[in-house]
Amino acid sequence: MLSKTKVVASLVTVLLLAALVSFAPKAWQGGMLEKITSKLTFFENNYPQEKVFLHLDKPYYAAGDDVWFSAYLVNSSDHAPSPLSKVLYVELVNPEDSIAQRVVLNMQEGKGFGDFTLPDSIQAGLYRVRAYTSWMQNFHEDYFFHQNIQIWNPRESDLTPAANFSFKRQGSGDSVIVDLQLLTPKKTLAPPTAITYTVLQGAKRAASRKLNTSPTGKTKLRFYLPDAGDNQVAQLQLSIPQGQKTVKKKLVVPRSGSALDLQFFPEGGNLVSGFWNNIGFKATNAQGLGEDVKGVVVDQSGAKVADLTSLKFGMGRIGFMPEKGKRYEAKIKGADGSETTYSLPPAQDKGIIMTVDNSKPDKVRVKCYTIGFADGAGKPTALHVVAQSRGTAFFGASSTTGRDVFQADIPKEKFPTGISQITLFDQAGEPLAERLVFVNQNKNLQITITPDKPTYKPREKVTLQVEVKDAAGSPVAGNFSMSVTDGQTVVPDANSATLISYLQLSSDLRGYIEQPDFYFSATQEEAQTALDNLMLTQGWRRFVWKDILQDKFQAMPAPLEQGLSVSGVVTQYNEKKPVKDAVVTMFDVANMKNILFGNTDAQGRFSIALPTLKDSSRVVLQARNPKGKSNLIVSLEDPAPALVKPQVPYGTVAASLSDQQWAYLRNNQEQMKVDQSMGKGVLLGEVVVKGRKDPYANKSIADRTTLHSPGDVSYSVRGDRFPPGLDIISALPGRTPGVQMKEGKLVLRGGVTQSFDFGGEGGASEGGSTEPMYLIDGVRADMGLAQTLDPTQVERIDVLMPGAPSAIYGGEGVNGVISIIMKVPGSFVAKTNARWQGVAIYRGPKFQTVREFYMPKYDKPSKEFTPDWRSTLYWNPVIKTNAEGKAQVAFYCADAKTTYRAVVQGLTSKGLLGKGVTAMQVR
C-alpha cells in the first residue's frame, strides 16, 4: 500500500509540466464565474434569510421559575439586526414534542425580550426552547433557534428517581433491566416505597406492575421493549404515593447501545479509486449524539487499509487510496467486545477530488484533481472555484484548459469569520465538489464587566461597569443583555452555545452541534482539527446549487411580518359565496374605543393590522354587507405554529445531578414556601394556580364555540337545579338575579339601556325587541328552541348581562346573552366550526405583555425578614452602551455566601458580536 506522500509525489512527477493555475477575482468579469456569482447574488437579494438567538438567564429551571430570555434577530449575511421581520415566535416544547407555551415578541431593531412562567404542576423532563419568524418557516426547521433546557419539579414530590438501564437482545427487541433508586433533595436514599410502573412506547402502554423499594430506596425493574420506528422514544412511567396523592414520574428509556450509526463523507463529495482520498466520518448513538469509536478499515479480502479512531464527538478522518473494483468496510469494536461492520461508499473509477488545506496562517489552499480520464471522455474542459459565505461570494478562480491539477490559493483576509463554502464547477456550471471551511478573523467585541468592590456581603448593593470595545480597542455602542446567577446552584453546561458560537457556527449547519463553544477555545489544542472534522462531516444545506443555477426557487408561502394582523374571508351565510365590499369592524372588548375598519376585496378577503394589545385582550370582528346586513360568515385565518419535529438529542437520559443541581432543587422547595407566604402562589391540593393561563385551554368543545370567556359570565345555573316538568327558560327567572319574564319573553336587567355602533346596525334589535340572544352549545338559537330542551340533558346555563359582558357579540348581544351548554354536544354544535352571523372572535397570537424582572431592594431596614433564595440575581434584556462603549447596572445580593457569575452578550448595529464574563464573591 502506497503512502499518501508517495502517491502525491508520483502524481506531481507525472504532471511535472502541468502548471498550477491560480487566479485573482479579476477573472469574475466574464463567462461562467459571472453567471454563478450573479445567480448567487439574485438568490441572496430575493430570498434573504434571518437568524435568531436567545440569551437565557440560566441553563436549567424548576417548577415555579421564570424563564427569562432576550432575543436577537439578525440578517444571515452580516449578522446586523434584521429589518425584515418584527414578529418573533418563541415556544416552550415539552418532552413529547408538543408546544407547552407560546409567546409572541414585538421585535424592534432586531431586539426583543420575554419570558415563560413555569407552573408548579409542570412535568419534569428535557424541554426545548424554539424561536423563529414567519419568514423563517419558508426554510428548513433546522435553522430555527433550538436550545434544550432541563426542567425539574421538586414541588410535586420530594423524591427524585435515578436509573441505570442495561439491555439484552431478545428476538425483535430488548430485555431491559433498570436499577432504580429514589433520592430526596438532600441527596439521601428514600425509605421503602410502593411503586407502580408501566412502559409507554408511542400510543402503546404496557400492563402496570407493582413493587416495593428496599430499605435503602433501591429496586430492580424488568420489562421487554420491542423495536420501534425511527426516533420512537420509550418512557418508563412511575407512580409514587406521596401523602394523600400519587405523583407520576417519567424517565426516558435510552435506546440500546448497539444502535450506532456510522457515516462516511469523502472530502469534496466522492470517493475516487486510484488516488489518495481524505474521508471524514461521524458516529452517532441512538440519541443522535456523537459516540467515540475505534476500529479499522479493510478491503473485501479483509486486508487492513487504515486505522479508524474518532477525535471528538464521534467525528474523525481517515485516508487511503481505494483500488479499482474493490469494496471497503469499517469494523468497529464495541465496549462489550462485539464487532459491527459498516460499508464505505463505493469508489468511482473516474471523478474529481478536491482537497482543502486550512492549516496555513495566511491562506486557504484548494487543490482539485481530475482522476481516471485518460481517454478524455467526460473530462471537464474547464474548472471554476467559487468561495462564498452566507450568500456572498468573495473569491473566484478558473482553469480553462482542462488540466489534471488545479490549485487556487485564497488569501485568508478575504474570508469573513465563520463558515465558508468552496465549490468546484465544470464548464457548464455543474457543481462537481464541495467543501466547508471555518476561518476565525478574531474580530469579536471585547467586553469587560467590572464590579465596584472586590467582595460583597449578603444583601449588599452591587454596581457593575460594562465596557465594550471592538477588536482594535475603540469603544462601540451596542445592544446587550446580562444575567447574574448564583454559582453555588447554577453551573452552565460545558461549552454551550453563545451568541458568538451560534451565529458564526451552529446556525449555518444543519443538525445538532454538540458543545459548539469548544471550537472557539484557544486552550484546546485539538479544537482546530476537530473543527475541520466538523466541516468535513456536517454540510451546508441552506440552498442547493443546481436549483439556483437553473432558477428553481422554492415557494415562499409564509409572509414577512412587520406586525400582527387579522386576515380572513367573508361569505354569504347560505350560499358560501364571497362578499365584495363588506365592511369588517374590529374592536377590543376591553377597550371599546380601540376600533378599526377594513373592506373585503372581490374574493371576500380582508386583512386588518392588529393594534397594540395586551396578551389578555380579546378581539372581535363583525362584518356587514354593503346594505348593512350581518347575515354573513366571517372565517378567520389562524396560522398554526410551525410543525414540531423530534430534535437531537432523542430522549437523552438526564445525567446524575451535580451537587449544585441538588442545591438548586432544595432552594426551589424553599422558595415555594416563601412564595406561598407572600401570596405569590396559591396551593390547591394538587393544583397550583400561578402565572399566565390560556382561558380557553380547558374549555369543552361546546365552550370553545362561544365567543365569550368564563370571566364574561354574570351568572351560571347548573342543569340539575331546574325543577322537573318546567322548561329551563320558564324556570330561569327567580333563580338568576336580573332575569325576568315579561309578556312571555325573557328580559335581562339593563336591556336596551346601552347601544353599540359597529358601523351598521346597532342598538336594540329590530322592532325595539328587548329579548336576549340565545345560544345552544355556541350556536345561534331562539327562545322556542331552548324551551324544547330536556333539562336533564343541560349541563348549565350562562347568563351574560347587557353591557360589557355581552358586548363581545356586537349588536345581537346588546340585550344580553343566554348561553346553554349541553352535557353531550350534539346537533347544536357543528363540530368545532359553529358560526355566528357576521361575527368572529380572534384567538390568534398577540404580543406578550412585557414583565419586569423583580429585584428586591435592601437599602432600607425592614421589620419583616423574608429569606432570599434567588438563583438569578439580576436579569436585564436590554443594556445599551453609549458612544464611549459604557453602561452601568446595579442590584442587591441575596442571602447565600457564594460566587456570582455575570454574563453579557450582544452585538452592534454592524453585526459585531461579543460576550463577557466575570465573577463576584459574596462573603
Side-chain angles (χ1 to χ4, degrees):
M1 181 181 68
L2 294 175
S3 68
K4 175 183 177 182
T5 303
K6 291 182 178 179
V7 171
V8 175
S10 299
L11 181 66
V12 171
T13 300
V14 172
L15 303 175
L16 184 61
L17 299 179
L20 300 179
V21 185
S22 180
F23 291 90
K26 62 183 180 181
W28 289 32
Q29 301 304 315
M32 185 54 61
L33 273 181
E34 182 180 11
K35 175 184 176 181
I36 294 171
T37 54
S38 65
K39 295 286 187 180
L40 183 63
T41 302
F42 177 85
F43 176 80
E44 177 62 21
N45 291 340
N46 291 274
Y47 298 87
Q49 298 183 43
E50 300 172 308
K51 300 179 182 180
V52 61
F53 175 80
L54 298 187
H55 176 192
L56 276 63
D57 65 310
K58 53 193 174 191
Y60 45 75
Y61 300 85
D65 280 347
D66 294 312
V67 180
W68 301 96
F69 48 83
S70 183
Y72 297 86
L73 181 63
V74 302
N75 299 322
S76 175
S77 57
D78 59 6
H79 297 154
S82 172
L84 299 179
S85 298
K86 289 184 169 57
V87 180
L88 182 70
Y89 302 93
V90 184
E91 296 161 348
L92 182 65
V93 181
N94 65 22
E96 283 75 38
D97 290 323
S98 298
I99 298 174
Q101 294 187 42
R102 187 181 198 229
V103 298
V104 186
L105 305 188
N106 185 0
M107 304 296 291
Q108 298 297 323
E109 298 179 353
K111 194 72 170 62
F113 49 94
D115 66 280
F116 295 120
T117 296
L118 304 181
D120 287 356
S121 57
I122 192 168
Q123 173 189 332
L126 185 65
Y127 284 70
R128 181 175 11 132
V129 177
R130 183 174 77 157
Y132 57 93
T133 65
S134 168
W135 182 250
M136 290 171 70
Q137 294 183 76
N138 293 308
F139 307 98
H140 200 280
E141 189 202 3
D142 276 358
Y143 301 116
F144 292 4
F145 174 82
H146 298 272
Q147 180 170 329
N148 296 320
I149 59 171
Q150 180 67 41
I151 297 178
W152 296 291
N153 193 343
R155 300 187 175 193
E156 69 172 358
S157 169
D158 59 0
L159 296 179
T160 299
N164 181 49
F165 295 83
S166 59
F167 302 85
K168 185 176 180 180
R169 193 66 185 169
Q170 185 176 336
S172 58
D174 291 300
S175 177
V176 185
I177 300 176
V178 185
D179 291 311
L180 179 73
Q181 60 178 334
L182 300 180
L183 300 173
T184 70
K186 294 183 179 180
K187 207 176 177 182
T188 58
L189 293 175
T193 306
I195 296 177
T196 301
Y197 73 93
T198 186
V199 177
L200 309 176
Q201 192 174 18
K204 298 179 180 179
R205 175 187 291 266
S208 298
R209 299 182 182 181
K210 297 182 179 180
L211 49 77
N212 294 298
T213 61
S214 68
T216 58
K218 298 181 179 180
T219 190
K220 193 180 292 288
L221 315 180
R222 290 180 174 84
F223 57 87
Y224 180 73
L225 192 65
D227 293 337
D230 291 341
N231 302 335
Q232 181 66 69
V233 177
Q235 293 182 324
L236 174 63
Q237 179 177 289
L238 307 175
S239 298
I240 306 172
Q242 292 278 277
Q244 301 298 317
K245 62 181 181 180
T246 299
V247 175
K248 295 186 183 300
K249 300 277 191 179
K250 290 183 179 179
L251 301 177
V252 172
V253 180
R255 300 179 189 178
S256 170
S258 61
L260 188 71
D261 181 37
L262 180 60
Q263 296 186 28
F264 296 93
F265 305 89
E267 184 175 22
N270 295 310
L271 202 64
V272 182
S273 61
F275 195 78
W276 188 273
N277 287 246
N278 294 320
I279 306 165
F281 65 85
K282 183 172 184 178
T284 54
N285 59 25
Q287 279 68 50
L289 299 174
E291 183 93 359
D292 284 328
V293 292
K294 189 173 184 178
V296 296
V297 177
V298 299
D299 63 17
Q300 59 197 40
S301 66
K304 185 177 79 170
V305 297
D307 290 307
L308 183 151
T309 303
S310 59
L311 175 65
K312 194 76 175 177
F313 310 123
M315 291 178 286
R317 67 178 68 197
I318 55 176
F320 70 98
M321 186 175 68
E323 296 184 36
K324 185 175 181 179
K326 285 192 175 182
R327 292 176 286 103
Y328 298 89
E329 58 188 18
K331 294 184 179 295
I332 305 300
K333 284 192 175 182
D336 58 357
S338 62
E339 188 176 77
T340 308
T341 300
Y342 301 87
S343 296
L344 271 69
Q348 300 178 356
D349 293 339
K350 60 175 64 176
I352 306 293
I353 289 179
M354 181 172 72
T355 66
V356 175
D357 182 3
N358 189 22
S359 63
K360 295 177 173 56
D362 59 338
K363 60 188 174 184
V364 173
R365 172 160 290 177
V366 181
K367 284 188 176 182
C368 307
Y369 306 92
T370 56
I371 308 299
F373 295 96
D375 57 0
K379 181 180 180 180
T381 58
L383 296 174
H384 310 279
V385 167
V386 173
Q388 64 89 17
S389 179
R390 301 189 289 270
T392 300
F394 58 85
F395 181 85
S398 294
S399 169
T400 57
T401 58
R403 298 183 184 277
D404 293 325
V405 181
F406 173 33
Q407 176 177 306
D409 288 339
I410 309 176
K412 279 197 173 178
E413 62 185 19
K414 293 183 175 295
F415 287 82
T417 290
I419 296 175
S420 294
Q421 178 186 18
I422 301 174
T423 308
L424 180 70
F425 299 89
D426 67 9
Q427 69 281 354
E430 288 289 319
L432 303 175
E434 191 170 274
R435 174 74 148 82
L436 301 186
V437 295
F438 186 95
V439 174
N440 193 342
Q441 300 289 6
N442 296 307
K443 293 184 178 181
N444 293 323
L445 300 173
Q446 305 173 46
I447 301 178
T448 57
I449 310 167
T450 307
D452 61 332
K453 296 179 64 176
T455 61
Y456 299 90
K457 297 178 181 179
R459 302 202 174 196
E460 186 176 0
K461 185 177 181 179
V462 177
T463 301
L464 300 178
Q465 299 291 340
V466 179
E467 187 172 10
V468 182
K469 298 180 180 180
D470 61 18
S474 301
V476 292
N479 211 331
F480 304 88
S481 51
M482 175 187 283
S483 173
V484 181
T485 54
D486 179 1
Q488 185 172 294
T489 58
V490 177
V491 178
D493 296 334
N495 296 309
S496 57
T498 65
L499 178 76
I500 294 172
S501 64
Y502 180 80
L503 292 182
Q504 293 182 351
L505 178 66
S506 304
S507 59
D508 286 328
L509 293 173
R510 284 187 63 174
Y512 182 71
I513 310 300
E514 296 180 59
Q515 301 185 28
D517 216 40
F518 162 78
Y519 300 108
F520 293 79
S521 173
T523 60
Q524 299 280 359
E525 295 182 0
E526 62 183 8
Q528 273 305 113
T529 302
L531 179 56
D532 204 49
N533 288 341
L534 179 68
M535 297 298 100
L536 270 174
T537 58
Q538 210 139 338
W540 172 292
R541 289 297 178 270
R542 280 190 180 272
F543 59 83
V544 178
W545 270 116
K546 286 185 178 180
D547 291 344
I548 292 179
L549 295 175
Q550 297 175 15
D551 295 327
K552 293 181 179 179
F553 301 109
Q554 64 189 72
M556 309 292 277
L560 274 171
E561 288 186 321
Q562 287 280 306
L564 293 173
S565 61
V566 181
S567 302
V569 62
V570 177
T571 58
Q572 295 180 9
Y573 191 80
N574 295 321
E575 299 180 12
K576 306 294 175 66
K577 293 182 179 179
V579 178
K580 181 183 178 182
D581 296 328
V583 177
V584 181
T585 306
M586 181 176 70
F587 61 95
D588 180 1
V589 175
N591 182 7
M592 297 302 295
K593 296 180 181 180
N594 206 356
I595 299 179
L596 296 172
F597 300 92
N599 293 90
T600 59
D601 59 18
Q603 287 73 43
R605 301 188 62 81
F606 67 90
S607 180
I608 304 176
L610 270 178
T612 301
L613 299 169
K614 297 180 179 179
D615 53 4
S616 58
S617 297
R618 286 179 295 127
V619 177
V620 175
L621 294 95
Q622 187 177 54
R624 296 183 182 277
N625 63 22
K627 296 182 179 180
K629 299 297 183 181
S630 61
N631 57 334
L632 307 171
I633 293 179
V634 181
S635 302
L636 300 183
E637 296 175 350
D638 186 9
L643 181 66
V644 179
K645 300 178 182 178
Q647 294 285 325
V648 174
Y650 302 122
T652 297
V653 180
S656 299
L657 301 186
S658 65
D659 291 339
Q660 293 90 344
Q661 291 169 337
W662 280 114
Y664 187 89
L665 299 189
R666 289 194 294 271
N667 284 1
N668 182 264
Q669 286 189 318
E670 294 300 324
Q671 187 64 49
M672 178 183 66
K673 298 175 184 177
V674 174
D675 289 347
Q676 291 175 4
S677 67
M678 298 178 63
K680 292 184 179 179
V682 181
L683 195 60
L684 301 174
E686 297 185 24
V687 181
V688 174
V689 179
K690 185 174 182 180
R692 306 183 185 90
K693 182 180 180 181
D694 179 1
Y696 306 103
N698 297 318
K699 295 180 71 174
S700 66
I701 293 177
D703 282 332
R704 283 180 177 272
T705 62
T706 62
L707 295 179
H708 63 270
S709 67
D712 298 318
V713 176
S714 304
Y715 305 100
S716 185
V717 183
R718 294 202 318 266
D720 58 11
R721 300 295 299 275
F722 294 107
L726 190 65
D727 69 83
I728 57 174
I729 300 302
S730 300
L732 200 57
R735 288 174 172 79
T736 308
V739 178
Q740 302 176 27
M741 183 73 74
K742 290 184 178 181
E743 300 179 357
K745 302 290 185 181
L746 279 188
V747 177
L748 307 188
R749 182 182 64 241
V752 298
T753 59
Q754 297 199 29
S755 177
F756 299 95
D757 184 5
F758 298 112
E761 304 167 5
S765 54
E766 292 185 13
S769 171
T770 61
E771 192 172 9
M773 176 184 183
Y774 288 89
L775 299 173
I776 302 176
D777 279 351
V779 178
R780 190 71 163 88
D782 55 31
M783 177 177 167
L785 185 59
Q787 287 178 308
T788 65
L789 298 176
D790 181 355
T792 63
Q793 300 301 312
V794 175
E795 174 68 29
R796 70 177 191 276
I797 297 180
D798 293 338
V799 179
L800 282 67
M801 287 298 179
S806 63
I808 197 169
Y809 289 98
E812 292 184 285
V814 71
N815 292 315
V817 177
I818 303 294
S819 177
I820 304 167
I821 303 298
M822 306 298 291
K823 291 181 178 178
V824 180
S827 59
F828 301 110
V829 61
K831 303 296 183 185
T832 57
N833 298 317
R835 306 287 186 190
W836 297 267
Q837 293 189 11
V839 179
I841 187 169
Y842 174 74
R843 290 174 178 164
K846 294 183 281 289
F847 287 127
Q848 184 180 36
T849 301
V850 175
R851 284 202 306 154
E852 185 177 353
F853 178 78
Y854 170 74
M855 292 184 294
K857 293 184 178 181
Y858 298 125
D859 53 341
K860 297 179 181 179
S862 176
K863 295 181 181 180
E864 297 182 359
F865 178 82
T866 303
D868 190 344
W869 298 101
R870 289 173 298 148
S871 57
T872 299
L873 285 302
Y874 181 77
W875 169 252
N876 192 335
V878 181
I879 297 176
K880 293 187 177 182
T881 55
N882 56 25
E884 287 74 40
K886 295 181 179 181
Q888 177 177 298
V889 301
F891 61 94
Y892 287 85
C893 298
D895 291 336
K897 295 181 179 180
T898 180
T899 299
Y900 291 163
R901 183 175 186 265
V903 178
V904 170
Q905 298 190 79
L907 47 78
T908 69
S909 60
K910 295 183 178 180
L912 296 177
L913 315 177
K915 175 191 174 184
V917 181
T918 196
M920 294 153 278
Q921 296 294 325
V922 182
R923 298 175 180 173

